[in-house]
Amino acid sequence: MGEIDGLKVDRGVMSRLAGVAVAAREAERLGYDGIWTAEINHDPFLALTLAAEHTAEIELGTGIAVAFARNPMTVANLGWDLQEYSRGRLLLGLGTQIKPHIEKRFSMPWAHPVQRMGEFVTALHAIWDCWADGTKLSFEGDFYSHRLMTPMFTPEHQAYGKPAVLIAAVGELMTEKCGEVADGLIAHAFTTKRYFHEVTIPALRRGMAKSGRDGAGFEVSAPVFVVTGTDEAEIAAAAAGTRKQIAFYASTPAYRKVLELHGWGDLQTELRQLSLDGQWDTMATLIDDEMLATFAVVAPLDQLAGALKHRCDGIIDRVMVALPASASEETIRTFLDEVRSR
């Protein structure tokens, strides 16, 4: 985990189908290692199907697909088919979402999310083992039960094996479960370097110890807030937008522990009230320069690669970063080369 020699640089793509093919081809042409879709207002799997069709080598990830809006069998089918169609390039990123969305938006059950996610991933592997090896499907858990698989419903054999399964986590318990059952972690952009070192990595290692793993092949993937530009005006504009993003996440109770680690726990209460009052612009003014530099990589564009490597070193294996829209192809290629250099 977190070896700088192997740092990969990824790019997000919108899941709206009309633009996926062009965006995926461009990311591969420019030299990115992976592209990720998110389940926000479009389905993430349909977009990756198009991306797989229009690319040859770039890795393809869901960052994230909502696990609890589905069940292990439906996700197993999606993962199996996309792994074959992409010729082994799928990174199956799963997340829980939060209780109100699962119950009120998706009309699905919510209970014991950490245990449920662990069981979800274990069930996926049981189903895939059945399809790959012909073993009898006999999975019995507290939340999911899969006991029936006939030849008619068994997919054809595919030569690329199981896709890697990554779990999105911030809290210690979900992170520990990720280390126990998953192939990788998808961290939140609101995770600071100190939180990684003091909370995330120790929790991952506790989970790995439970399942007798040493972390070999395990990938930590993380989007990173970036404040950059070619001049002071661009950097100032980027900083203003990033302060708003940080304030939004900092107002969320689920992320209070990150703030508390840095001694900023009371700020969460204040930001929460401002969010309830709709004072979004005021919220951003509470994110001072120290907080901005703690949560974001702040550097001019020509120094960004070095600053990003410093943030990722010893922690992150693959980073998702958004460069300014004004960045030229030459600038992007140079940036990618510098990030990957020793």
Side-chain angles (χ1 to χ4, degrees), residues 193-239:
K193 187 169 186 176
R194 181 179 172 187
Y195 192 88
F196 265 118
H197 278 300
E198 297 184 22
V199 179
T200 302
I201 300 302
L204 283 175
R205 296 201 182 281
R206 290 195 300 271
M208 290 174 185
K210 287 183 178 180
S211 54
R213 299 193 295 170
D214 62 5
F218 189 96
E219 282 195 328
V220 175
S221 173
V224 174
F225 293 124
V226 166
V227 175
T228 192
T230 57
D231 56 37
E232 291 185 5
E234 281 191 353
I235 294 173

Side-chain angles (χ1 to χ4, degrees), residues 15 111 241 301:
S15 297
L301 190 53

